[in-house]
Structure formats: structure tokens, C-alpha cells
Amino acid sequence: MQYRTIAETTVSAVGLGAMPLSIEHRPDETRAIATIHAALDAGVTLIDTADCYHWHADEVGHNELLIARALAGYGGDTSGILVATKGGRGRPGDGSWTVTATPEHLKQAAKASAKRLAVDAIGLYQLHKPDPAVPWAESVGALRELLDAGTIRAVGISNVTTTQIREAHGILGDGLSSVQNQYSPAVRDSEAELQLSTQLGLAFLPWSPLGGISRSSLDGLSGPTSGGTAFHRIAVDRGVSPQQVALAWLLARSPAVIPVPGASRPASITDSARATDLELSKEELMQLEDALPG
């Protein structure tokens, strides 16, 4: 396993996106916990969650509680695990996703998440999505207050533009540690946000990083799934999975990148973790770049 940093915390270069363990079509709890334990066994030390990662309306925090149980029941040392959670979105239970990022909601949500995760302070708390009904500075200001109060140790922002990153950085300074936007072989709309994060020393956590290679848990099909892409061809040549090639490609984009692929089976996250050992050649990276859409 290779490692990268979020603020002053060292984490595995590939994390676990835990959302598939709690939303629609989720596995039973035995397999879900086995998946988290497999991630830890593979050297993964970053687990990404959110209070809205649940299926039914009456189970807010399902994923956070699941992670807390999995960590408590793990036989090894979990002191170095960073659990990054998010607040500001909701799920009414009908399959839709809402946005609520008022200061009052974020403060209450962060405290509730800390309780579910059984921690004194959340290692990384991320604003899940800007709320168009709330001034951005007010939402970010609530994160500043949570940071100053010691409820959270570091701040992340998700689904943001370069303008929002700059404004949040102005409010939070060194308290801003990460940006989490969608970024994958199929979706590269956040290239500017990735470059800005790199310049500012912020970790960049691509969500749905295997778009174009596999299905996205949140958005359904996110790209071609046939075996005809350059990622698949290089995977065959290397004797690895196309998912590993995609993650290795992401890691080569910038030292700020820490992908958080989702998994609902132990084998999936075990395979993803191996991507940190795959170093693509310049020729392979050029082949992939030439084959990318747009």
C-alpha cells in the first residue's frame, strides 16, 4: 500500500467508498462488515461515508453506524483509520437526494455523526453539496465554527466549483483539507478543481472514480462497461483488472488524488487496494489519455 496525506494525516492512497453498503441493493450486514474488514486487511486507512448513505427515510446514519460496528469488531488496530463523513444532504426514502446546508443543520448533523461514529471529534467532515438556498459563505462559516469548537478536526467540501473552493479556502485557511468531486475516465468536468486543489495543497478525493469502467452506485450507468476500452486492453496486458488500471491512472494525475471507489464485496475493495502497486508507464498513460472522451 502507498500513502498520501489529507492535511497532516497520512492515509492509504486508495480509500473505501462505503455508500454501496447502505443504499438500495445493499448487501446483508455480514457481507458489509466483511467488506470493511477486507479493506482494513488490504491496508486501506480512509473510509468515506455520509449521514445520508441509507435507503429508507427512518435510517439516517445507517452507513456511519455500520462503520462504527465494523471498526469495533475488527481484530486489529484501528487507531490509524480516518473516517471521513459528510453532511448537508438527505434521502426522503423515495430514491431522491435533497440538499440542506443551513448552518443550523450542519452543526446538528456533525454532532449527530460524531455520536454515531463513537468519536470525540470527526477526523474529516465534508459539506456534501452547496445549497442553492443558502449563501456559500454561511454554510462554510458553520464548518469554521465546528472546527473551532473541536467537533471536527478537518474540513472538506464536495461537488464544488473553483470559485467555491477559493472562497472556502479564504474562510477556512489551513482548516480546509480536501475537495471531493466526481472525476473518472468518463467524467472529467472537474479538471480545473483538481488542478486548483493540487496548487492549494488540498487532497482531491474523486467520487465514482470508476465511471467508464464500472457502474456508479449513485448515478446508475456512468460510462461504457464493455471490454473494449484502452483501460481493459492494458489490464489484459498487465494481468490486472481494468478497475486497477483506472485507479492507477487517477493516482498518476496528481499527488493530491486519493480515489474512494465504492465496494459491496470484500473482493472488490481488495482488488482496488492493489492499484497502489500498479505504476503505469508513460506510454500506457499516453494511450489512456488518447482514448479518453473529449
Side-chain angles (χ1 to χ4, degrees):
M1 177 58 69
Q2 296 182 20
Y3 298 89
R4 295 191 169 181
T5 59
I6 300 177
E8 297 180 353
T9 302
T10 299
V11 298
S12 53
V14 169
L16 169 65
M19 180 175 70
L21 301 175
S22 290
I23 63 169
E24 294 86 336
H25 312 297
R26 66 194 182 199
D28 60 41
E29 182 159 322
T30 298
R31 194 176 94 187
I33 289 180
T35 300
I36 297 171
H37 287 178
L40 303 181
D41 289 342
V44 171
T45 63
L46 171 65
I47 302 176
D48 182 75
T49 183
D51 60 1
C52 63
Y53 289 170
H54 59 89
W55 184 353
H56 306 291
D58 61 350
E59 53 179 20
V60 174
H62 181 281
N63 200 239
E64 294 172 325
L65 290 167
L66 175 69
I67 291 168
R69 288 194 295 274
L71 292 178
Y74 186 62
D77 181 16
T78 60
S79 60
I81 306 301
L82 175 62
V83 177
T85 192
K86 295 180 286 291
R89 299 200 76 176
R91 300 206 73 196
D94 59 1
S96 65
W97 299 75
T98 61
V99 181
T100 306
T102 62
E104 295 76 19
H105 175 81
L106 291 174
K107 292 174 190 176
Q108 293 173 3
K111 293 174 183 177
S113 288
K115 184 176 181 179
R116 286 189 289 265
L117 291 170
V119 295
D120 294 329
I122 297 170
L124 175 62
Y125 191 70
Q126 305 161 95
L127 197 163
H128 207 150
K129 188 174 184 179
D131 186 341
V134 179
W136 179 237
E138 291 186 11
S139 296
V140 176
L143 301 180
R144 173 82 262 177
E145 292 183 36
L146 287 166
L147 192 64
D148 292 342
T151 307
I152 62 179
R153 293 197 177 97
V155 174
I157 51 178
S158 183
N159 299 301
V160 289
T161 65
T162 54
T163 298
Q164 289 166 333
I165 294 172
R166 291 186 187 280
E167 186 173 357
H169 190 256
I171 295 170
L172 294 162
D174 292 341
L176 181 62
S177 300
S178 66
V179 170
Q180 184 170 171
N181 278 14
Q182 185 176 18
Y183 190 89
S184 69
V187 180
R188 292 181 296 146
D189 297 343
S190 286
E191 186 68 42
E193 288 74 21
L194 167 57
Q195 296 305 319
L196 179 57
S197 297
T198 303
Q199 293 168 16
L200 294 175
L202 307 175
F204 187 87
L205 284 55
W207 63 263
S208 194
L210 299 176
I213 304 299
S214 68
R215 298 173 185 271
S216 164
S217 299
L218 180 59
D219 296 321
L221 286 176
S222 57
T225 57
S226 71
T229 71
F231 290 87
H232 290 82
R233 292 192 292 273
I234 290 175
V236 170
D237 291 341
R238 287 296 203 101
V240 299
S241 70
Q243 287 79 11
Q244 282 188 45
V245 176
L247 294 171
W249 170 78
L250 281 165
L251 291 169
R253 302 297 289 173
S254 163
V257 171
I258 305 172
V260 285
S264 60
R265 297 181 298 115
S268 297
I269 187 57
T270 299
D271 180 74
S272 291
R274 294 193 183 111
T276 67
D277 297 324
L278 177 62
E279 185 173 349
L280 299 173
S281 68
K282 291 182 180 179
E283 292 74 17
E284 288 170 330
L285 289 170
M286 288 178 63
Q287 290 177 39
L288 295 173
E289 193 66 29
D290 290 343
L292 290 170

